[in-house]
Amino acid sequence: MQITASALSDMYPVSRALEYARDFRHAHRQMSLRKKFLDQRPSKLYGTFFGTLFAPEKTILFTPQTPSPGYVIYKLCALAGYKIIHDPCRRYDLAFKFHDSTVTSPEFRACIPEEMPVINGSSLDISKQQVGKTLEKVFGYSLLIDPLTYRRTALMKSNGNSTHDGHIVECPLSSARDLSRGTICEKMIDNSTPDGYYLDYRAPVFGKTIPLVYMKYRKPEDRFTTPSRSRTVTPRSVFSSEEIRRIIVFAREMGIDYGELDILRDNADGRLYIVDANNTPFGPHHGFTLKQQQAVLPILARNLKTLVTSFLSKNAAAD
């Protein structure tokens, strides 16, 4: 029996063929990541490669965007054996809102069943303005300042996410015209260290858990850009129990089920200030060696599995 091109096209539409090609590409990339970060033997690698293609641990729909290998969540899905898809018409176990943007429209949920809980589904605004408002609500003190009345050095930066354009200004500003459009002003935090660096904390959040904390050291000339070196510590070695509780509450108020928070401790008052919230973190970040990544990523992958299990329980309850 001869199969015509038309019949073959009906049996295997182009859209389906493209999806299979994407599946293969993702599975191949994930195999490479497992080799890099888990140092698996070839037999294990190929077993997980075909497993991800045909019998994945879980299938996760990412919408409205799909992460690329540079994002942390892509690496964690690779290590966890999760299949990544973008087409909501296919079968999937769980939905994950992924949008590398400061603000997301609630319309992203249009393709997802209304009763289904979505990871980061409530994280729609991660602007600096929203971060400042949430910090004041949860911690009881403010980071944002009025540059027309404040009488100290301040930090001016974009309200958007991941711009790394902070610069120091002297307040008060003479007029509102001195405040660039789309920027905000914050209290200047003294996070300097005795050896001349500036220390930032970055806390990965998985639901109600902070599995570890990155300590990022920056040279004075790179204070608002990339760190020169980094290391990881336990949350309790740098934060009090009450601070950890408030950080988790902050993430919940921001709608962040999974993400990373940038935190500074002010030498002047000893308080923590959450200065940035990221629900699509890239990395691990600059200053992190391959050996450090091999130690950290499996820990984060286990926490992703726990988060996914908790959301699947919510889905089951919704059904």
Side-chain angles (χ1 to χ4, degrees), residues 154-195:
L155 181 67
M156 182 184 293
K157 57 184 179 181
S158 294
N159 190 40
N161 191 44
S162 299
T163 54
H164 306 291
D165 61 352
H167 60 280
I168 298 170
V169 296
E170 290 297 328
C171 291
L173 301 181
S174 57
S175 73
R177 288 193 298 271
D178 294 330
L179 186 64
S180 302
R181 184 177 180 181
T183 61
I184 53 98
C185 281
E186 298 175 347
K187 172 184 175 179
M188 194 70 193
I189 306 299
D190 177 13
N191 60 322
S192 60
T193 65
D195 58 354

mmCIF file of all heavy atoms in Angstrom, residues 154-195:
data_model
loop_
_atom_site.group_PDB
_atom_site.id
_atom_site.type_symbol
_atom_site.label_atom_id
_atom_site.label_comp_id
_atom_site.label_asym_id
_atom_site.label_seq_id
_atom_site.Cartn_x
_atom_site.Cartn_y
_atom_site.Cartn_z
ATOM 1 N N ALA A 154 20.962 58.749 47.992
ATOM 2 C CA ALA A 154 19.965 57.721 47.650
ATOM 3 C C ALA A 154 20.421 56.972 46.397
ATOM 4 O O ALA A 154 21.403 57.349 45.738
ATOM 5 C CB ALA A 154 18.597 58.350 47.429
ATOM 6 N N LEU A 155 19.693 55.913 46.094
ATOM 7 C CA LEU A 155 19.974 55.112 44.897
ATOM 8 C C LEU A 155 18.825 55.274 43.919
ATOM 9 O O LEU A 155 17.671 55.003 44.255
ATOM 10 C CB LEU A 155 20.147 53.640 45.271
ATOM 11 C CG LEU A 155 20.470 52.687 44.117
ATOM 12 C CD1 LEU A 155 21.856 52.996 43.548
ATOM 13 C CD2 LEU A 155 20.410 51.235 44.572
ATOM 14 N N MET A 156 19.142 55.690 42.697
ATOM 15 C CA MET A 156 18.133 55.801 41.642
ATOM 16 C C MET A 156 18.338 54.645 40.668
ATOM 17 O O MET A 156 19.469 54.359 40.258
ATOM 18 C CB MET A 156 18.258 57.134 40.905
ATOM 19 C CG MET A 156 17.195 57.342 39.816
ATOM 20 S SD MET A 156 17.418 58.890 38.874
ATOM 21 C CE MET A 156 17.084 60.109 40.132
ATOM 22 N N LYS A 157 17.249 53.972 40.310
ATOM 23 C CA LYS A 157 17.342 52.874 39.352
ATOM 24 C C LYS A 157 16.005 52.660 38.673
ATOM 25 O O LYS A 157 14.964 53.188 39.110
ATOM 26 C CB LYS A 157 17.791 51.587 40.035
ATOM 27 C CG LYS A 157 16.914 51.110 41.184
ATOM 28 C CD LYS A 157 17.544 49.876 41.839
ATOM 29 C CE LYS A 157 16.745 49.372 43.005
ATOM 30 N NZ LYS A 157 17.363 48.188 43.644
ATOM 31 N N SER A 158 16.026 51.870 37.613
ATOM 32 C CA SER A 158 14.799 51.605 36.861
ATOM 33 C C SER A 158 13.813 50.815 37.695
ATOM 34 O O SER A 158 14.200 49.970 38.510
ATOM 35 C CB SER A 158 15.115 50.837 35.578
ATOM 36 O OG SER A 158 15.882 51.615 34.696
ATOM 37 N N ASN A 159 12.536 51.071 37.442
ATOM 38 C CA ASN A 159 11.482 50.323 38.124
ATOM 39 C C ASN A 159 11.374 48.902 37.583
ATOM 40 O O ASN A 159 10.858 48.015 38.254
ATOM 41 C CB ASN A 159 10.150 51.053 37.946
ATOM 42 C CG ASN A 159 9.049 50.478 38.815
ATOM 43 O OD1 ASN A 159 9.276 50.131 39.966
ATOM 44 N ND2 ASN A 159 7.847 50.371 38.264
ATOM 45 N N GLY A 160 11.895 48.675 36.369
ATOM 46 C CA GLY A 160 11.827 47.360 35.750
ATOM 47 C C GLY A 160 12.817 46.387 36.346
ATOM 48 O O GLY A 160 13.715 46.758 37.114
ATOM 49 N N ASN A 161 12.672 45.128 35.957
ATOM 50 C CA ASN A 161 13.502 44.065 36.512
ATOM 51 C C ASN A 161 14.760 43.831 35.680
ATOM 52 O O ASN A 161 14.749 43.993 34.465
ATOM 53 C CB ASN A 161 12.689 42.761 36.577
ATOM 54 C CG ASN A 161 13.375 41.696 37.382
ATOM 55 O OD1 ASN A 161 13.898 41.960 38.460
ATOM 56 N ND2 ASN A 161 13.391 40.473 36.872
ATOM 57 N N SER A 162 15.841 43.442 36.357
ATOM 58 C CA SER A 162 17.098 43.005 35.718
ATOM 59 C C SER A 162 17.721 44.065 34.815
ATOM 60 O O SER A 162 18.252 43.755 33.745
ATOM 61 C CB SER A 162 16.858 41.725 34.901
ATOM 62 O OG SER A 162 16.426 40.685 35.739
ATOM 63 N N THR A 163 17.681 45.333 35.228
ATOM 64 C CA THR A 163 18.277 46.395 34.417
ATOM 65 C C THR A 163 19.708 46.720 34.855
ATOM 66 O O THR A 163 20.507 47.203 34.046
ATOM 67 C CB THR A 163 17.426 47.675 34.492
ATOM 68 O OG1 THR A 163 17.233 48.023 35.869
ATOM 69 C CG2 THR A 163 16.079 47.463 33.829
ATOM 70 N N HIS A 164 20.032 46.497 36.136
ATOM 71 C CA HIS A 164 21.388 46.719 36.660
ATOM 72 C C HIS A 164 21.908 48.116 36.312
ATOM 73 O O HIS A 164 23.046 48.280 35.885
ATOM 74 C CB HIS A 164 22.355 45.658 36.123
ATOM 75 C CG HIS A 164 21.909 44.253 36.373
ATOM 76 N ND1 HIS A 164 21.867 43.689 37.638
ATOM 77 C CD2 HIS A 164 21.460 43.292 35.526
ATOM 78 C CE1 HIS A 164 21.436 42.445 37.559
ATOM 79 N NE2 HIS A 164 21.163 42.184 36.285
ATOM 80 N N ASP A 165 21.064 49.123 36.498
ATOM 81 C CA ASP A 165 21.441 50.485 36.118
ATOM 82 C C ASP A 165 21.431 51.445 37.304
ATOM 83 O O ASP A 165 21.294 52.655 37.134
ATOM 84 C CB ASP A 165 20.502 51.002 35.023
ATOM 85 C CG ASP A 165 19.042 51.051 35.490
ATOM 86 O OD1 ASP A 165 18.743 50.543 36.593
ATOM 87 O OD2 ASP A 165 18.198 51.595 34.747
ATOM 88 N N GLY A 166 21.570 50.923 38.515
ATOM 89 C CA GLY A 166 21.539 51.776 39.693
ATOM 90 C C GLY A 166 22.674 52.779 39.711
ATOM 91 O O GLY A 166 23.800 52.473 39.328
ATOM 92 N N HIS A 167 22.381 53.992 40.163
ATOM 93 C CA HIS A 167 23.431 54.995 40.347
ATOM 94 C C HIS A 167 23.061 55.900 41.520
ATOM 95 O O HIS A 167 21.888 56.080 41.848
ATOM 96 C CB HIS A 167 23.660 55.816 39.070
ATOM 97 C CG HIS A 167 22.459 56.562 38.591
ATOM 98 N ND1 HIS A 167 21.435 55.972 37.871
ATOM 99 C CD2 HIS A 167 22.109 57.878 38.729
ATOM 100 C CE1 HIS A 167 20.520 56.866 37.574
ATOM 101 N NE2 HIS A 167 20.893 58.021 38.084
ATOM 102 N N ILE A 168 24.078 56.439 42.139
ATOM 103 C CA ILE A 168 23.908 57.204 43.371
ATOM 104 C C ILE A 168 23.550 58.655 43.040
ATOM 105 O O ILE A 168 24.136 59.264 42.138
ATOM 106 C CB ILE A 168 25.199 57.138 44.209
ATOM 107 C CG1 ILE A 168 25.486 55.677 44.606
ATOM 108 C CG2 ILE A 168 25.100 58.015 45.448
ATOM 109 C CD1 ILE A 168 26.845 55.462 45.230
ATOM 110 N N VAL A 169 22.578 59.195 43.782
ATOM 111 C CA VAL A 169 22.174 60.597 43.625
ATOM 112 C C VAL A 169 22.105 61.254 44.991
ATOM 113 O O VAL A 169 21.948 60.579 46.016
ATOM 114 C CB VAL A 169 20.799 60.718 42.921
ATOM 115 C CG1 VAL A 169 20.864 60.190 41.502
ATOM 116 C CG2 VAL A 169 19.713 59.997 43.713
ATOM 117 N N GLU A 170 22.232 62.570 45.005
ATOM 118 C CA GLU A 170 22.087 63.341 46.233
ATOM 119 C C GLU A 170 20.675 63.912 46.305
ATOM 120 O O GLU A 170 20.217 64.555 45.368
ATOM 121 C CB GLU A 170 23.123 64.479 46.286
ATOM 122 C CG GLU A 170 24.551 64.007 46.485
ATOM 123 C CD GLU A 170 24.765 63.301 47.817
ATOM 124 O OE1 GLU A 170 24.087 63.660 48.797
ATOM 125 O OE2 GLU A 170 25.619 62.390 47.864
ATOM 126 N N CYS A 171 20.010 63.654 47.392
ATOM 127 C CA CYS A 171 18.651 64.159 47.581
ATOM 128 C C CYS A 171 18.659 65.249 48.669
ATOM 129 O O CYS A 171 19.536 65.252 49.530
ATOM 130 C CB CYS A 171 17.713 63.019 47.995
ATOM 131 S SG CYS A 171 17.421 61.817 46.691
ATOM 132 N N PRO A 172 17.687 66.192 48.599
ATOM 133 C CA PRO A 172 16.535 66.152 47.697
ATOM 134 C C PRO A 172 16.888 66.621 46.279
ATOM 135 O O PRO A 172 17.783 67.427 46.084
ATOM 136 C CB PRO A 172 15.559 67.128 48.359
ATOM 137 C CG PRO A 172 16.450 68.113 49.065
ATOM 138 C CD PRO A 172 17.625 67.314 49.550
ATOM 139 N N LEU A 173 16.147 66.063 45.313
ATOM 140 C CA LEU A 173 16.263 66.533 43.940
ATOM 141 C C LEU A 173 15.578 67.892 43.841
ATOM 142 O O LEU A 173 14.629 68.186 44.578
ATOM 143 C CB LEU A 173 15.606 65.540 42.980
ATOM 144 C CG LEU A 173 16.164 64.102 42.977
ATOM 145 C CD1 LEU A 173 15.410 63.261 41.956
ATOM 146 C CD2 LEU A 173 17.658 64.079 42.705
ATOM 147 N N SER A 174 16.051 68.722 42.940
ATOM 148 C CA SER A 174 15.509 70.075 42.832
ATOM 149 C C SER A 174 14.088 70.087 42.302
ATOM 150 O O SER A 174 13.282 70.952 42.658
ATOM 151 C CB SER A 174 16.410 70.931 41.944
ATOM 152 O OG SER A 174 16.546 70.336 40.656
ATOM 153 N N SER A 175 13.742 69.110 41.441
ATOM 154 C CA SER A 175 12.380 69.035 40.915
ATOM 155 C C SER A 175 12.102 67.629 40.433
ATOM 156 O O SER A 175 13.019 66.817 40.274
ATOM 157 C CB SER A 175 12.183 70.031 39.765
ATOM 158 O OG SER A 175 12.846 69.580 38.606
ATOM 159 N N ALA A 176 10.824 67.354 40.180
ATOM 160 C CA ALA A 176 10.426 66.032 39.706
ATOM 161 C C ALA A 176 11.027 65.732 38.342
ATOM 162 O O ALA A 176 11.156 64.567 37.958
ATOM 163 C CB ALA A 176 8.896 65.946 39.645
ATOM 164 N N ARG A 177 11.432 66.780 37.602
ATOM 165 C CA ARG A 177 12.028 66.572 36.281
ATOM 166 C C ARG A 177 13.381 65.865 36.376
ATOM 167 O O ARG A 177 13.845 65.267 35.419
ATOM 168 C CB ARG A 177 12.194 67.911 35.560
ATOM 169 C CG ARG A 177 10.879 68.531 35.089
ATOM 170 C CD ARG A 177 11.152 69.670 34.117
ATOM 171 N NE ARG A 177 11.920 70.741 34.763
ATOM 172 C CZ ARG A 177 11.363 71.757 35.418
ATOM 173 N NH1 ARG A 177 10.042 71.854 35.504
ATOM 174 N NH2 ARG A 177 12.115 72.699 35.956
ATOM 175 N N ASP A 178 14.007 65.955 37.566
ATOM 176 C CA ASP A 178 15.303 65.289 37.766
ATOM 177 C C ASP A 178 15.157 63.784 37.946
ATOM 178 O O ASP A 178 16.153 63.056 37.914
ATOM 179 C CB ASP A 178 16.018 65.867 38.987
ATOM 180 C CG ASP A 178 16.405 67.324 38.789
ATOM 181 O OD1 ASP A 178 16.659 67.705 37.628
ATOM 182 O OD2 ASP A 178 16.448 68.063 39.780
ATOM 183 N N LEU A 179 13.926 63.333 38.161
ATOM 184 C CA LEU A 179 13.663 61.900 38.303
ATOM 185 C C LEU A 179 13.274 61.353 36.932
ATOM 186 O O LEU A 179 12.216 61.679 36.401
ATOM 187 C CB LEU A 179 12.531 61.651 39.311
ATOM 188 C CG LEU A 179 12.233 60.198 39.671
ATOM 189 C CD1 LEU A 179 13.422 59.556 40.376
ATOM 190 C CD2 LEU A 179 11.002 60.117 40.572
ATOM 191 N N SER A 180 14.154 60.544 36.359
ATOM 192 C CA SER A 180 13.902 60.026 35.016
ATOM 193 C C SER A 180 12.631 59.193 34.983
ATOM 194 O O SER A 180 12.257 58.547 35.979
ATOM 195 C CB SER A 180 15.088 59.165 34.558
ATOM 196 O OG SER A 180 16.277 59.900 34.584
ATOM 197 N N ARG A 181 11.990 59.186 33.818
ATOM 198 C CA ARG A 181 10.759 58.419 33.657
ATOM 199 C C ARG A 181 11.039 56.925 33.844
ATOM 200 O O ARG A 181 12.028 56.391 33.333
ATOM 201 C CB ARG A 181 10.175 58.669 32.275
ATOM 202 C CG ARG A 181 8.821 57.988 32.050
ATOM 203 C CD ARG A 181 8.273 58.339 30.689
ATOM 204 N NE ARG A 181 6.985 57.709 30.462
ATOM 205 C CZ ARG A 181 6.283 57.821 29.334
ATOM 206 N NH1 ARG A 181 6.758 58.549 28.338
ATOM 207 N NH2 ARG A 181 5.112 57.210 29.211
ATOM 208 N N GLY A 182 10.173 56.271 34.599
ATOM 209 C CA GLY A 182 10.330 54.836 34.815
ATOM 210 C C GLY A 182 11.381 54.471 35.839
ATOM 211 O O GLY A 182 11.825 53.326 35.890
ATOM 212 N N THR A 183 11.792 55.441 36.657
ATOM 213 C CA THR A 183 12.784 55.156 37.694
ATOM 214 C C THR A 183 12.178 55.363 39.077
ATOM 215 O O THR A 183 11.153 56.021 39.231
ATOM 216 C CB THR A 183 14.029 56.047 37.553
ATOM 217 O OG1 THR A 183 13.641 57.421 37.682
ATOM 218 C CG2 THR A 183 14.699 55.836 36.216
ATOM 219 N N ILE A 184 12.845 54.808 40.069
ATOM 220 C CA ILE A 184 12.440 54.982 41.462
ATOM 221 C C ILE A 184 13.687 55.322 42.275
ATOM 222 O O ILE A 184 14.820 55.138 41.808
ATOM 223 C CB ILE A 184 11.749 53.718 42.034
ATOM 224 C CG1 ILE A 184 12.621 52.462 41.813
ATOM 225 C CG2 ILE A 184 10.403 53.496 41.371
ATOM 226 C CD1 ILE A 184 13.435 52.069 42.982
ATOM 227 N N CYS A 185 13.481 55.810 43.486
ATOM 228 C CA CYS A 185 14.592 56.110 44.383
ATOM 229 C C CYS A 185 14.449 55.304 45.667
ATOM 230 O O CYS A 185 13.348 55.179 46.214
ATOM 231 C CB CYS A 185 14.654 57.595 44.697
ATOM 232 S SG CYS A 185 15.413 58.587 43.393
ATOM 233 N N GLU A 186 15.569 54.768 46.125
ATOM 234 C CA GLU A 186 15.591 53.949 47.329
ATOM 235 C C GLU A 186 16.598 54.496 48.326
ATOM 236 O O GLU A 186 17.581 55.154 47.952
ATOM 237 C CB GLU A 186 15.975 52.505 47.002
ATOM 238 C CG GLU A 186 15.017 51.788 46.082
ATOM 239 C CD GLU A 186 15.520 50.406 45.711
ATOM 240 O OE1 GLU A 186 16.711 50.094 45.964
ATOM 241 O OE2 GLU A 186 14.728 49.626 45.161
ATOM 242 N N LYS A 187 16.382 54.146 49.563
ATOM 243 C CA LYS A 187 17.359 54.419 50.606
ATOM 244 C C LYS A 187 18.692 53.773 50.228
ATOM 245 O O LYS A 187 18.728 52.662 49.699
ATOM 246 C CB LYS A 187 16.845 53.836 51.927
ATOM 247 C CG LYS A 187 17.822 53.862 53.071
ATOM 248 C CD LYS A 187 17.228 53.178 54.298
ATOM 249 C CE LYS A 187 18.268 53.092 55.408
ATOM 250 N NZ LYS A 187 17.708 52.443 56.628
ATOM 251 N N MET A 188 19.785 54.473 50.471
ATOM 252 C CA MET A 188 21.106 53.924 50.177
ATOM 253 C C MET A 188 21.505 52.958 51.285
ATOM 254 O O MET A 188 21.593 53.335 52.452
ATOM 255 C CB MET A 188 22.129 55.049 50.070
ATOM 256 C CG MET A 188 23.430 54.628 49.447
ATOM 257 S SD MET A 188 23.221 54.279 47.696
ATOM 258 C CE MET A 188 24.754 53.461 47.363
ATOM 259 N N ILE A 189 21.721 51.689 50.922
ATOM 260 C CA ILE A 189 22.064 50.656 51.897
ATOM 261 C C ILE A 189 23.580 50.497 51.963
ATOM 262 O O ILE A 189 24.244 50.337 50.936
ATOM 263 C CB ILE A 189 21.425 49.308 51.519
ATOM 264 C CG1 ILE A 189 19.912 49.458 51.325
ATOM 265 C CG2 ILE A 189 21.728 48.254 52.566
ATOM 266 C CD1 ILE A 189 19.165 49.912 52.543
ATOM 267 N N ASP A 190 24.112 50.546 53.181
ATOM 268 C CA ASP A 190 25.547 50.323 53.375
ATOM 269 C C ASP A 190 25.772 48.835 53.637
ATOM 270 O O ASP A 190 25.662 48.364 54.764
ATOM 271 C CB ASP A 190 26.059 51.153 54.552
ATOM 272 C CG ASP A 190 27.551 50.882 54.840
ATOM 273 O OD1 ASP A 190 28.209 50.251 53.992
ATOM 274 O OD2 ASP A 190 28.021 51.288 55.924
ATOM 275 N N ASN A 191 26.075 48.090 52.578
ATOM 276 C CA ASN A 191 26.330 46.653 52.693
ATOM 277 C C ASN A 191 27.801 46.336 52.455
ATOM 278 O O ASN A 191 28.154 45.260 51.970
ATOM 279 C CB ASN A 191 25.451 45.869 51.722
ATOM 280 C CG ASN A 191 25.682 46.249 50.266
ATOM 281 O OD1 ASN A 191 25.898 47.414 49.956
ATOM 282 N ND2 ASN A 191 25.621 45.269 49.376
ATOM 283 N N SER A 192 28.678 47.292 52.811
ATOM 284 C CA SER A 192 30.112 47.102 52.619
ATOM 285 C C SER A 192 30.667 46.122 53.649
ATOM 286 O O SER A 192 30.104 45.931 54.731
ATOM 287 C CB SER A 192 30.838 48.441 52.730
ATOM 288 O OG SER A 192 30.614 49.025 54.012
ATOM 289 N N THR A 193 31.774 45.485 53.286
ATOM 290 C CA THR A 193 32.447 44.542 54.178
ATOM 291 C C THR A 193 33.800 45.125 54.591
ATOM 292 O O THR A 193 34.328 46.019 53.930
ATOM 293 C CB THR A 193 32.676 43.191 53.479
ATOM 294 O OG1 THR A 193 33.587 43.380 52.386
ATOM 295 C CG2 THR A 193 31.362 42.618 52.949
ATOM 296 N N PRO A 194 34.389 44.622 55.687
ATOM 297 C CA PRO A 194 35.678 45.158 56.145
ATOM 298 C C PRO A 194 36.804 45.044 55.114
ATOM 299 O O PRO A 194 37.759 45.826 55.153
ATOM 300 C CB PRO A 194 35.980 44.305 57.385
ATOM 301 C CG PRO A 194 34.643 43.860 57.877
ATOM 302 C CD PRO A 194 33.826 43.650 56.645
ATOM 303 N N ASP A 195 36.707 44.074 54.191
ATOM 304 C CA ASP A 195 37.773 43.896 53.204
ATOM 305 C C ASP A 195 37.526 44.672 51.907
ATOM 306 O O ASP A 195 38.183 44.433 50.889
ATOM 307 C CB ASP A 195 37.990 42.410 52.907
ATOM 308 C CG ASP A 195 36.729 41.711 52.405
ATOM 309 O OD1 ASP A 195 35.656 42.349 52.404
ATOM 310 O OD2 ASP A 195 36.811 40.534 52.019
#
